[in-house]
Amino acid sequence: MNILAAIPILVVISSSSFSESKSKEGTPVPSSKEIVSLKDFTAEEVRSAGFAIEKEMTLHLSAVGGGEKSFWRELVDDNEDSQRMYAYGWIINADTREPVWEMSMENTSGKSDHRTCEENVMLKKGSYEVYFSAFAYAQRTPFSNISTNIDRRKKGKRINKWVGTFLRMISDDDREVYDEFMDRAKNEWGITVSAPDEDAASIRTFSAPLKNPGELFSATRVGDDAVIKKALTVKNDVTIHVYSVGEGRKKDDMFDYGWIVNSATRERVWQMSYRSTRFAGGAAKNRVFNGDVTLAKGSYELFFITDASHSNDDWNSAPPFDPYNYGVTLSLRDENNRNAIKISDAPDTDKNVILKLVELEDNDFKNEGFSLKKDTKVRVYAVGEMNNGNNEMADYGWIVNAKTRERVWTMEARSTYHAGGASKNRMADDVVELPKGDYLVYYQTDGSHSYDHWNDDPPYDQEHWGITVMGAGDEFDTKSFSSFSEDREQGVLVQLVRVGDDRHVRKQFSLERPTTVRVYAVGEGRDDEMFDYGWIENLATGERMWEMTYEKTTRAGGARKNRMVSQTLHLDKGTYEVHFRTDGSHAFNDWNDDPPEDRTHWGITIYKE
């Protein structure tokens, strides 16, 4: 169902002679009657009306609006002719939702704030919707060229202003501009549609938009900062039609958009992207998806989100051809499938939570652990920040096996989705099967753009900035997990970690029989040389049985000089001493560059395999 009621329309059936007027082509216009008239845009940016004609006929369009070539070049990144109108009308086919006529700079004449259009348009039998929008205003003086978005919510105070070829040399009073716009919006701008006298009585009018008879769910006329979530339960394979109008730009992808995710696998089975959508009319950033999606038996979740601008609350550029359907609509291709799909409220995101590290701020680093008593499928949901310069993550999380230190999941840029708001906001939503064991979850942020400290538009799910691990599926056993602390790591023979600057720490251990051990160490090195590193000595012989050399290490995350190694080796029976040495800079809690991902293990740990 529509989330807002349809805007009232003004429908006039009255005599109006056009016998002396001419069409643009100079053809005489016969005596006609008005069937639709859209006037007065003081309270609403867009008004509409619908009409149905029983046969092909020629209708007369009479409209007054506003447009300015230089205005539009400053307002959007598009030079389409029709885009340069800031007060104008158009007609779409109510069944196909495609445009059949549009008011433009080419078919209007007159001053920028009073451009008139008189045209005859032949339409085939069918249903149509006529729209008129007044969303902005342009002023030109000898010294300036000013374009202003009129936001009716601001009671005359505009939210966007673009200054033209010269710096403003004159006073510019917001209220005066607003009042001038409102005077024209009330008394001048608008559109009428007229039909020949003999056909006018047969024309039926209706409130736009025309509802799809197969509609399953509709969230339309969506405003700013909206988050729409619905659960879809599919009893057998079914094909649905998805019609979704939103906002996107090739460089930055989508801002107002929708997607459908498989609840069990978290796979996106449909999503609006710039490539999967096409131009929706109006501003170049308006996009539309209009196609079929097949859903296999199972459970799904539907999402539609918007950012903080350009929606039915206030169009800061030209609205799309189908503005009242801004949002998402699901409908059936086959009415016999109506009972095959059920739509209900979406479940809480935090279901069967195992561990949660969220609402992280700048320069945060947090980690916690959990234990699994049996092999388990877990859902990992993380929201963070990507560095657009190199497509690497700046705020992100990861999970490691506490025993082997092997990564079992990492939030990588290439496997994330846009999380709404700024394009650098990213989200990961994965299902991972983990064997029985202990695990450590980490999340780190850089020095900017984090929870409550956004330097750009925030994501739609701000409260989950961080990482959440949950049990996956309806059959998840809530007794299958428990908390885990690094202090309870199993099989530790020696651990020298969180080592600071200028330290040389050591500790002995003994083996009663030949044993395979794992050495895990994090330190500092560059140009084939190590500065913070560890080694193992045989106390009886003084021989170094193992040493952390640059060749054995790999990058440890953060600064390139952060190095790590995880290696197994066989040691004979005997007594050994483990060493870790640091230089005068860049060590635990005194980093002079980005710290490693596993900063708490800066040092060396020996595990018994």
Side-chain angles (χ1 to χ4, degrees):
M1 59 181 290
N2 289 347
I3 59 174
L4 293 176
I7 292 180
I9 63 172
L10 176 61
V11 179
V12 182
I13 307 293
S14 62
S15 296
S16 177
S17 174
F18 289 91
S19 58
E20 296 181 359
S21 64
K22 304 275 187 177
S23 72
K24 188 173 183 181
E25 292 77 17
T27 304
V29 178
S31 178
S32 306
K33 289 183 179 179
E34 291 180 3
I35 57 171
V36 167
S37 179
L38 301 177
K39 305 285 186 182
D40 191 355
F41 299 90
T42 53
E44 299 152 337
E45 278 186 295
V46 182
R47 301 191 72 183
S48 70
F51 62 90
I53 54 178
E54 299 300 322
K55 64 177 182 178
E56 182 178 281
M57 66 175 63
T58 297
L59 302 178
H60 183 71
L61 309 178
S62 179
V64 179
E68 172 64 63
K69 290 184 178 181
S70 57
F71 155 84
W72 194 257
R73 288 173 183 169
E74 296 195 28
L75 194 58
V76 297
D77 55 352
D78 188 281
N79 288 321
E80 291 289 332
D81 171 72
S82 60
Q83 307 285 344
R84 296 195 285 264
M85 302 293 291
Y86 55 79
Y88 68 110
W90 65 95
I91 299 175
I92 67 172
N93 183 305
D95 295 311
T96 66
R97 317 308 298 170
E98 296 295 330
V100 297
W101 176 85
E102 186 177 14
M103 193 174 167
S104 68
M105 294 295 290
E106 294 301 314
N107 62 13
T108 60
S109 60
K111 298 187 299 181
S112 64
D113 53 9
H114 189 92
R115 296 190 67 83
T116 62
C117 177
E118 299 287 343
E119 277 202 340
N120 290 334
V121 177
M122 180 176 289
L123 297 178
K124 296 179 180 180
K125 175 184 176 181
S127 298
Y128 298 89
E129 294 169 12
V130 56
Y131 292 85
F132 194 96
S133 172
F135 68 92
Y137 197 43
Q139 281 187 321
R140 177 178 292 189
T141 75
F143 304 102
S144 66
N145 178 19
I146 304 168
S147 303
T148 305
N149 171 48
I150 302 297
D151 186 349
R152 289 155 178 80
R153 298 171 299 178
K154 305 295 183 181
K155 296 182 180 179
K157 293 184 178 180
R158 56 196 169 205
I159 58 172
N160 288 313
K161 182 192 299 181
W162 298 266
V163 180
T165 52
F166 300 98
L167 292 174
R168 295 210 319 279
M169 303 292 292
I170 59 173
S171 171
D172 179 50
D173 182 76
D174 282 352
R175 190 71 212 184
E176 183 178 336
V177 172
Y178 183 81
D179 289 343
E180 184 174 334
F181 170 88
M182 285 299 173
D183 179 62
R184 298 191 185 280
K186 182 177 181 63
N187 300 311
E188 296 183 27
W189 296 335
I191 186 171
T192 61
V193 181
S194 303
D197 286 339
E198 64 272 19
D199 296 319
S202 67
I203 297 177
R204 175 178 59 87
T205 59
F206 59 87
S207 296
L210 190 65
K211 185 176 179 179
N212 188 321
E215 182 180 301
L216 276 168
F217 170 77
S218 182
T220 54
R221 298 189 68 183
V222 179
D224 294 344
D225 292 319
V227 178
I228 294 159
K229 297 169 60 177
K230 288 292 176 180
L232 312 179
T233 303
V234 179
K235 298 178 182 178
N236 51 264
D237 296 2
V238 63
T239 297
I240 61 173
H241 186 76
V242 180
Y243 181 68
S244 190
V245 185
E247 177 190 9
R249 191 166 48 220
K250 189 173 184 180
K251 178 182 177 182
D252 299 310
D253 207 24
M254 303 300 294
F255 307 117
D256 299 352
Y257 62 104
W259 68 92
I260 297 175
V261 61
N262 183 307
S263 300
T265 65
R266 309 314 300 175
E267 176 190 3
R268 292 196 178 186
V269 298
W270 167 77
Q271 69 172 344
M272 286 181 76
S273 65
Y274 193 87
R275 289 185 177 182
S276 70
T277 58
R278 58 181 174 82
F279 177 52
K285 60 186 177 181
N286 297 325
R287 308 294 296 177
V288 60
F289 179 94
N290 189 4
D292 290 344
V293 176
T294 298
L295 301 177
K297 179 181 177 181
S299 297
Y300 301 86
E301 292 160 34
L302 167 70
F303 294 80
F304 190 88
I305 64 172
T306 63
D307 64 2
S309 65
H310 192 68
S311 71
N312 271 271
D313 285 347
D314 174 68
W315 302 109
N316 62 19
S317 297
F321 287 138
D322 200 358
Y324 290 174
N325 275 313
Y326 202 80
V328 61
T329 299
L330 307 183
S331 57
L332 290 169
R333 283 298 192 190
D334 184 351
E335 188 61 30
N336 293 325
N337 288 324
R338 184 162 291 276
N339 293 328
I341 183 167
K342 178 184 176 183
I343 300 179
S344 57
D345 292 336
D348 185 6
T349 300
D350 295 334
K351 183 180 179 182
N352 296 327
V353 172
I354 295 174
L355 186 150
K356 192 174 183 180
L357 304 173
V358 295
E359 297 184 1
L360 275 72
E361 302 183 10
D362 292 347
N363 295 313
D364 251 347
F365 174 80
K366 290 186 179 180
N367 72 301
E368 289 185 18
F370 65 92
S371 295
L372 295 177
K373 300 175 184 177
K374 60 182 180 180
D375 296 357
T376 305
K377 285 185 177 181
V378 300
R379 176 188 173 193
V380 186
Y381 178 63
V383 185
E385 177 191 12
M386 179 178 71
N387 185 330
N388 287 331
N390 56 18
N391 289 333
E392 293 184 356
M393 298 302 299
D395 294 6
Y396 63 103
W398 64 97
I399 304 173
V400 302
N401 183 306
K403 180 179 180 181
T404 66
R405 314 309 299 182
E406 175 191 6
R407 286 203 183 197
V408 297
W409 182 87
T410 303
M411 187 179 184
E412 297 179 335
R414 66 176 180 270
S415 58
T416 61
Y417 298 101
H418 181 212
S423 60
K424 64 183 178 180
N425 298 325
R426 310 299 297 178
M427 62 179 287
D429 194 357
D430 299 323
V431 172
V432 182
E433 187 162 4
L434 298 179
K436 174 184 175 181
D438 302 323
Y439 298 90
L440 294 168
V441 181
Y442 296 84
Y443 196 95
Q444 70 176 30
T445 66
D446 66 0
S448 65
H449 194 71
S450 62
Y451 183 74
D452 263 358
H453 300 282
W454 315 111
N455 63 16
D456 205 337
D457 291 337
Y460 82 90
D461 193 358
Q462 301 178 34
E463 288 70 25
H464 281 89
W465 191 266
I467 185 170
T468 304
V469 181
M470 296 164 276
D474 296 331
E475 299 174 357
F476 172 70
D477 182 1
T478 56
K479 298 179 181 179
S480 64
F481 74 94
S482 60
S483 62
F484 168 74
S485 171
E486 286 184 275
D487 297 334
R488 304 203 313 265
E489 284 188 89
Q490 299 296 312
V492 174
L493 293 171
V494 172
Q495 188 166 64
L496 303 171
V497 294
R498 297 181 176 87
V499 184
D501 290 335
D502 281 325
R503 299 287 305 278
H504 182 180
V505 292
R506 65 192 76 190
K507 191 172 184 179
Q508 296 179 8
F509 71 96
S510 296
L511 297 175
E512 296 181 357
R513 62 181 63 87
T515 305
T516 298
V517 300
R518 175 178 294 277
V519 184
Y520 176 67
V522 184
E524 178 189 11
R526 187 174 53 218
D527 300 329
D528 297 328
E529 183 180 0
M530 297 300 299
F531 309 117
D532 294 5
Y533 62 100
W535 66 92
I536 303 173
E537 282 185 3
N538 185 317
L539 276 184
T541 65
E543 179 186 4
R544 288 196 179 188
M545 308 303 298
W546 179 90
E547 183 173 353
M548 184 181 181
T549 62
Y550 191 89
E551 292 76 16
K552 293 176 182 176
T553 63
T554 59
R555 288 194 61 185
R560 289 186 174 274
K561 62 183 178 181
N562 298 323
R563 310 296 295 179
M564 64 167 286
V565 60
S566 180
Q567 184 178 355
T568 58
L569 66 149
H570 188 80
L571 295 177
D572 291 331
K573 174 183 176 180
T575 301
Y576 298 87
E577 188 168 58
V578 181
H579 297 254
F580 196 85
R581 172 175 287 167
T582 63
D583 65 2
S585 65
H586 195 70
F588 182 74
N589 268 1
D590 190 22
W591 317 107
N592 62 18
D593 206 337
D594 291 335
E597 292 175 342
D598 193 1
R599 66 188 76 181
T600 59
H601 278 79
W602 191 267
I604 186 169
T605 304
I606 312 298
Y607 298 92
K608 184 178 180 181
E609 283 286 277

